[in-house]
Amino acid sequence: DVNGEENLATAFSVFLLLCCALSLWQISRHRLSARFFTHWRVLSLLFVGMAFDEWFLVHERVNMFLDDHFQTTGFFYYDWVIPGSLFVIAVGLAYRRFLQHLPRPTRRQFLLAGALYVGGALGMEMVSGFYIDSYGLDNRAVLAVLNGIEEAAEMFGLVAFLYALLVYQQSLIRMMENLRSLQPISKVHSSLRREQSELVSVRRRQK
């Protein structure tokens, strides 16, 4: 049962979320990431929060609370998708400039991974809610398929995002190595300039 509490699928999702959080934190420590340091750190903490939510089912508790106060139907049968959607929009707007500064391949990978994950977590949850509201809980086979698609989309999204993070992190390491290799050359150039200036000053004194 891929929708059961604390099962293997949930544990694997939590593991992937924490791996993404760790990779984001490491990227934030790079000197080349200083411009968007806060964005990397906040995103890392956000993934830790998502792992906490995945394991302790916080969104389901929120859904139970909202059910006591609102009666939503159709695609919003699960009430939590409304604040969840607003939160995704807010994060997207806050990270618009951050995404624009990324290399084009990395930006595309981030967007693809985000679309997969959000499509699973929110999109398929809305589809499942619409089906339950319309046809009830009798057809367990259909519900199992919908839940399976939701879990698969989330996992593929997390795997794609983790891959993009590791590739980007590797590119930062290579860039830092290239900068270090250029430092001795710059030191040679600066010493040559000092020697030239000293020769010019000596010639002027001789004149």
Side-chain angles (χ1 to χ4, degrees), residues 53-90:
D53 168 64
E54 185 73 19
W55 188 255
F56 293 102
L57 304 174
V58 176
H59 65 279
E60 294 194 8
R61 300 175 192 276
V62 171
N63 193 72
M64 292 171 61
F65 171 79
L66 292 175
D67 269 342
D68 294 336
H69 297 81
F70 305 98
Q71 294 297 324
T72 53
T73 59
F75 288 108
F76 301 109
Y77 176 81
Y78 293 115
D79 306 79
W80 77 268
V81 301
I82 298 174
S85 299
L86 294 175
F87 179 75
V88 169
I89 294 171

Side-chain angles (χ1 to χ4, degrees), residues 86-131:
L86 294 175
F87 179 75
V88 169
I89 294 171
V91 171
L93 292 174
Y95 275 76
R96 185 165 52 91
R97 290 183 62 190
F98 168 82
L99 287 170
Q100 290 173 348
H101 102 282
L102 294 171
R104 184 174 296 177
T106 304
R107 182 167 63 246
R108 288 176 177 172
Q109 291 171 346
F110 277 25
L111 290 174
L112 174 61
L116 279 171
Y117 186 82
V118 173
L122 280 174
M124 289 306 302
E125 189 84 342
M126 294 170 72
V127 171
S128 297
F130 177 82
Y131 181 86

Side-chain angles (χ1 to χ4, degrees), residues 106-165:
T106 304
R107 182 167 63 246
R108 288 176 177 172
Q109 291 171 346
F110 277 25
L111 290 174
L112 174 61
L116 279 171
Y117 186 82
V118 173
L122 280 174
M124 289 306 302
E125 189 84 342
M126 294 170 72
V127 171
S128 297
F130 177 82
Y131 181 86
I132 293 172
D133 187 48
S134 301
Y135 305 104
L137 297 167
D138 295 332
N139 197 331
R140 295 290 179 177
V142 173
L143 293 175
V145 169
L146 293 176
N147 287 332
I149 295 174
E150 178 181 338
E151 294 290 341
E154 290 181 20
M155 288 185 190
F156 279 123
L158 289 174
V159 170
F161 188 58
L162 182 58
Y163 172 79
L165 288 173

